[in-house]
Amino acid sequence: DAGVIQSPRHEVTEMGQEVTLRCKPISGHNSLFWYRQTMMRGLELLIYFNNNVPIDDSGMPEDRFSAKMPNASFSTLKIQPSEPRDSAVYFCASSSQGAYGYTFGSGTRLTVV
Amino acid sequence: GESVGLHLPTLSVQEGDNSIINCAYSNSASDYFIWYKQESGKGPQFIIDIRSNMDKRQGQRVTVLLNKTVKHLSLQIAATQPGDSAVYFCAETQGAQKLVFGQGTRLTINP
C-alpha cells in the first residue's frame, strides 16, 4: 500500500494566487481529514469527510479556504486568494470510518510570499 | 507536559536509557487517546493508543499510561535508540472521530 499520497510536496506562491493541494487516501478508507501544522498553533483540524461528505468544517479558517472530495480516492484543499499567514504544512490523513488511528500523508509545505 | 507557543518542550536522553514523555489533556469526556511520532519532514505516525477504560497499555518498547483523575497521559520508551529522535504528540478524541493534538515534545537521543 502506498499510503496517503499528497501533492505537491512543496508549493511556493505569491500572495493573492490560488493554491490547490491534493490528497489520495488509502484505498478502502472512507474518512479523510485535512490538518494544518504551524509552530504557533500546532496541528489543527480543518475539515473532515465521511464517505465523501463533509462532516465538520468548523476548523476552516475563513471563506478563502474550501475543500472537496468528488470521489473516494481524491480530495482537494483550495485557498483563494492565498495570504502569507497561510504558510504552513498541510497534512491529509485517512482512516476507516469510526476509527481514530489516522494514517497521515507526508504533507505539503506551503509558502506564500 | 505541553506548552503553547514557538518552543516545543524538549527532552534529551542518552541512547539506551528509558524516556518518559508527558501530556496533559483537557477533555474529561475523551474516551480514546493516541500517541503519534513525527520525524522531520514526515507526517505524524501512529505509535500506540489507549481507551479511557484502561490505565496502561504496552507495545513493543513503548508503554502508555493514563491517569484520568488528573487528566494525564504519558509515553514511556524503553532503551531509546537514535531512530526514536522525533517530536511526539498526544491526541485526544473530541466528538465523533475528531482528534485534537497537543503541542508536542521533541525527543533528542544523545549518543
Side-chain angles (χ1 to χ4, degrees), chain A residues 40-54:
Chain A
M40 283 301 296
R41 300 175 69 88
L43 273 163
E44 303 173 277
L45 177 64
L46 301 178
I47 185 171
Y48 79 94
F49 297 82
N50 281 344
N51 297 313
N52 313 337
V53 176

Side-chain angles (χ1 to χ4, degrees), chain A residues 1 4 23-34 47-56 68-75 92-103, chain B residues 96-97:
Chain A
D1 192 337
V4 176
C23 176
K24 176 179 169 55
I26 290 174
S27 178
H29 281 185
N30 48 12
S31 295
L32 184 140
F33 308 82
W34 283 101
I47 185 171
Y48 79 94
F49 297 82
N50 281 344
N51 297 313
N52 313 337
V53 176
I55 302 300
D56 187 340
K68 294 182 179 179
M69 193 165 185
N71 57 62
S73 59
F74 184 65
S75 177
C92 176
S94 70
S95 73
S96 299
Q97 188 169 348
Y100 289 104
Y102 306 170
T103 300
Chain B
Q97 211 171 359

